[in-house]
Structure formats: structure tokens, C-alpha cells
Amino acid sequence: MKAAEISMGERTMPAPPRRATRRRLLLIGLNYDPEPLGIAPYTSAVAQALVGAGVAIDAIVAQPYYPTWRPWPGFGGWQRARENGVEVVRCPHYIPRDPNGIRRILHHVTFALAALAPALSRARRRPGAVLVIAPSLMAVPVGWLAARLSGARLWIHVQDFEVEASFATGLIRERSVLAKLALWVENRLLRSADLASTISPKMVERLIAKGVAAERVRELRNWASGSFAAGDPSGGAYRREWGLGDRKVALYSGNIANKQGLEVVIDAARRLRHRDDLVFVICGEGPNRARLMALADGLSNLQFHDLQPAERMGDLLALASMHLLPQIASAADLVLPSKLTNMLASGRPIVATAAKSSGLYDEVVGCGLAVPPGDGAAFAAAVAALADDPARCAELGEAGRLRAGERWGREALLSRFVAVAEAAMAVD
């Protein structure tokens, strides 16, 4: 897509005539480099792409903590640095060991409070736009105030509808007074945006349903890295290290929390424990890992491993005979899992849990198998079917690799993000 075009849902709209811009953008977001998973790699890459396009970026971010929910060594307190051309301010904030309920809310509140002073200070530099990444939606009032003081446009980019996700994962009771208040606040904050964007067609629809004017909404997808070069296309190094032999590997790699619904993987492993040719591997960190390991006790066909370094990601992706992408039903269309893009790019088929009405189903169908969320028997049957049909695995995997290039090409999507930013920073 040309830089002079803007995506709006599934349509391609011509951008308005080029106007003068204030070539500075203030970015506020929880997650940033060097966190390896989730939102951080996308936020960091967007900031660096804008720098490459000649935009000055001030980024106000949290100290690294994800996915372990522990402070990273070497970080803490207030830190200011220039990183890859971006002026980064890292804010101290509360990091709960068990990120549930009120503790997670405090996590977001303390970040928003810590971000306030540096955001107002940098508003004096008169950015053309203030971009707030959600999560954390609680930082939107900070972004709104900075935008109003500087005469900038407020831009909210939604990676995750966090209020409804908190209902889905049981962090907040859906029919409680707190839930009603949280939804009202979320809708008001989203409607305050001069521009709102999100990462999938279904999530675009959800923004509009929440009252954001359609002409203010853009679809800006996450991308597949495509840069994970596998030293061994069979994942041989990991096979030797983990004693996997020549067994087929059903791999999950990523965050281990409630919304992933990884219990279905444990169930499937238990149902297929009689198969000597198949092993399940769960690789990652998160608050639900200890409980899952307890559920899997005694299963010799399932292994847990820590999150692997980015430089070995290509070998890890190549290790998989198939990728596993579970998600609880109530989280459908609240977030499109960021790991999906690199799963597709790896050329391996996917077994996902997704209702036919969901956006995840639309993305997976043709590149893997989708079964109803929470259905361990169907999930196990899908894994077994792919394990028994190498030709079908190869066909679905190649379709996924092609789809990743067509829908999630990194350079094209970053160019689109830059084009939207240029329009947002345009001077009236």
C-alpha cells in the first residue's frame, strides 16, 4: 500500500492532500523494548519507523516487566535515554506478582500517575499528535490533557479491549457495579479520541459499536516479523536439548495467563498420552504457569520450558510440527493474539480454538484447524489429524506463510502506520 493511502476497515481510502505537519509525536504506552512478547515489539517498531520517517518521538513507557510480571534487572526508578533515535522516559510503577483484580487496576493506575508529569513536560514541545497505546486505557486522560495543552490530536491505538478482557478472564465480575462503571469510562475515553485505530476488522467494528465515529477509525494491523532465520529447519538443536527425538511437536509459545485458555492443551495432551510419536511443548512465562504445571503433573508427553531468547526464535518456530493457539471463548474479538502473525510466517499449520463468528476464525481458516473454545476432545482430534497427515500440514503451512506475506507484511504495515501518523500530525 502506498504511504498516501489510509486503511479504514477493509477499504482503502485516499489520504487527504498533504499538509504541513508538526513532525513530533508523543507516545504513551506501558510496554516497550526490551520486552520480547506481546505489545512491546510493535510499539517499539512503530516508534523507530516514525523516527526513520523524520518524526521526533518522545516515548513515555513503563519499566520492563512482561511476561514474567517481575521487574527486570537493570531497570527501576526514573530512567531517561535515547534508544534507536527515540527519546524514552521509563516510569516506575507497581508490578503485581499476581496480576488479578484490584492489583492489576493499581498496576495501570500507578503507570498513568507516573506518566503524568513527563507527559505534561513534553507537551511543551508541541507535538502534532499524542498517541496512547491501550493497554493502558487509564493513560488516556494523561494523553488527552497533553494533547489539549499542546494543541495536538489525541490518537488511541487499541491492542486489547482490556475492560471486557477483564470480564472474560474473571478479573472483574461482568454484572457488578464496578463493571458497569468501567465500561462507561472506557466508552467515554475511546470517544474522546480524534483518531482511533486497532488491529483487526472485528475490533474496528467493536470500536464503532462503542460509539467512536466511523470516520475516525482506522485498521492498523500488527505484522509478522519474517526475520526469524532458522539455522535448522527441523529445529534439531531444540530436539537434542529437550530430548524430543523425532516426535512430532505441538508447540505453544507465548504468555501463560488466563485468557489463553491453555487448560485445553493439558486436556488434549492427556487424551493423546498413548501416542509415542507426539509431544506437546508449552514454552513461556506468565501468572498461570504454576497452576498449569500442576494440572499437567504425570503427563510424560508434555514439556514446559522457559521463554526462549529472540535470537533463537527461528529455531523454535521451526521445531513445531504445528502451532497451538488456544483462547477462551469470552475473549474473542477483544484481542487478536499477537503471536498469530509469526505462527503463520513460520510455514507451520495452526490448531486454534475459535468460534466461527470470531475474527480469529477468519484469520486461521485455510491455514489450520479451528475448533470450539474449551473443547478438549475436538482440540485433541485436530492435533491428531494433523500429526497423521504430513501432506495436509505442508499445504496448510504454506498457505499460512503466503497469508502472512499478504496480510502482515512488516514494511507495508509500518508504512501504513507512518501514513496515518502523518495525517494525524497535519496542521489545520
Side-chain angles (χ1 to χ4, degrees):
M1 177 172 287
K2 298 177 182 178
E5 295 176 337
I6 299 174
S7 172
M8 185 171 181
E10 286 299 315
R11 297 172 292 166
T12 298
M13 305 293 290
R18 183 174 292 276
R19 294 173 288 175
T21 61
R22 294 189 202 165
R23 301 192 64 80
R24 178 176 291 276
L25 183 141
L26 173 58
L27 185 155
I28 304 172
L30 263 174
N31 305 100
Y32 198 78
D33 275 350
E35 292 178 354
L37 294 179
I39 296 167
Y42 298 108
T43 300
S44 307
V46 163
Q48 292 161 28
L50 287 168
V51 167
V55 179
I57 303 292
D58 293 297
I60 301 172
V61 302
Q63 63 187 41
Y65 68 93
Y66 189 82
T68 60
W69 288 87
R70 301 288 186 275
W72 283 38
F75 294 91
W78 293 95
Q79 293 180 316
R80 294 171 175 81
R82 187 173 181 85
E83 302 176 14
N84 297 305
V86 180
E87 296 291 339
V88 178
V89 177
R90 298 188 186 275
C91 304
H93 58 102
Y94 170 60
I95 303 171
R97 288 184 174 274
D98 181 15
N100 290 316
I102 190 65
R103 290 182 290 273
R104 188 183 287 261
I105 293 173
L106 287 172
H107 166 67
H108 289 286
V109 168
T110 56
F111 169 69
L113 291 174
L116 179 60
L120 298 184
S121 173
R122 278 145 187 80
R124 297 173 185 170
R125 299 177 177 179
R126 292 186 56 77
V130 177
L131 170 59
V132 180
I133 309 293
S136 171
L137 200 65
M138 288 188 183
V140 169
V142 176
W144 180 88
L145 185 57
R148 293 302 171 265
L149 290 174
S150 63
R153 290 187 174 90
L154 175 62
W155 173 8
I156 302 174
H157 181 61
V158 179
Q159 288 276 4
D160 187 341
F161 287 102
E162 57 200 284
V163 172
E164 289 164 277
S166 71
F167 302 161
T169 56
L171 296 177
I172 299 176
R173 288 187 293 110
E174 187 169 357
R175 298 185 180 181
S176 66
V177 173
L178 178 60
K180 293 177 181 178
L181 176 62
L183 279 175
W184 180 83
V185 170
E186 179 186 59
N187 291 347
R188 288 296 298 267
L189 291 176
L190 290 172
R191 292 171 193 169
S192 72
D194 299 300
L195 174 68
S197 55
T198 191
I199 61 176
S200 76
K202 289 286 188 180
M203 292 174 74
V204 165
E205 292 174 10
R206 207 172 195 92
L207 273 177
I208 295 171
K210 286 179 173 292
V212 183
E215 64 270 17
R216 296 185 180 185
V217 178
R218 305 289 184 269
E219 180 192 336
L220 292 172
R221 287 178 174 244
N222 293 333
W223 51 86
S225 172
S227 63
F228 295 130
D232 182 345
S234 70
Y238 278 114
R239 288 182 176 277
R240 290 187 294 272
E241 289 175 33
W242 295 345
L244 300 174
D246 60 358
R247 287 180 289 177
K248 299 178 178 70
V249 176
L251 174 69
Y252 173 85
S253 178
N255 187 35
I256 303 176
N258 291 335
K259 69 183 175 184
Q260 278 74 38
L262 282 162
E263 292 81 1
V264 75
V265 177
I266 309 298
D267 188 1
R270 184 168 285 109
R271 292 173 184 272
L272 296 173
R273 62 185 180 274
H274 61 282
R275 292 195 53 152
D276 296 332
D277 64 329
L278 179 64
V279 61
F280 290 78
V281 174
I282 295 177
C283 187
E285 307 285 349
N288 207 27
R289 176 168 163 161
R291 191 177 71 82
L292 285 175
M293 292 179 72
L295 286 176
D297 187 44
L299 290 176
S300 61
N301 65 333
L302 190 150
Q303 296 185 7
F304 282 86
H305 295 283
D306 292 341
L307 189 67
Q308 298 300 296
E311 59 268 22
R312 299 195 69 189
M313 189 57 64
D315 288 330
L316 183 65
L317 293 172
L319 169 67
S321 305
M322 67 197 76
H323 294 292
L324 307 180
L325 187 55
Q327 190 176 53
I328 60 175
S330 50
D333 300 329
L334 303 179
V335 59
L336 188 67
S338 58
K339 62 182 71 67
L340 170 64
T341 57
N342 288 327
M343 287 180 175
L344 291 169
S346 74
R348 302 292 193 269
I350 297 169
V351 179
T353 60
K356 290 185 178 180
S357 60
S358 70
L360 179 58
Y361 181 92
D362 294 340
E363 304 293 354
V364 169
V365 68
C367 305
L369 305 179
V371 304
D375 190 335
F379 196 80
V383 170
L386 289 180
D388 292 336
D389 194 342
R392 190 180 187 195
C393 276
E395 179 183 350
L396 292 171
E398 178 61 14
R401 188 186 65 78
L402 293 173
R403 182 173 295 180
E406 293 167 357
R407 297 186 184 179
W408 287 286
R410 176 187 171 96
E411 296 309 316
L413 293 178
L414 279 172
S415 294
R416 187 179 304 179
F417 222 115
V418 170
V420 171
E422 293 277 4
M425 292 184 294
V427 179
D428 290 326

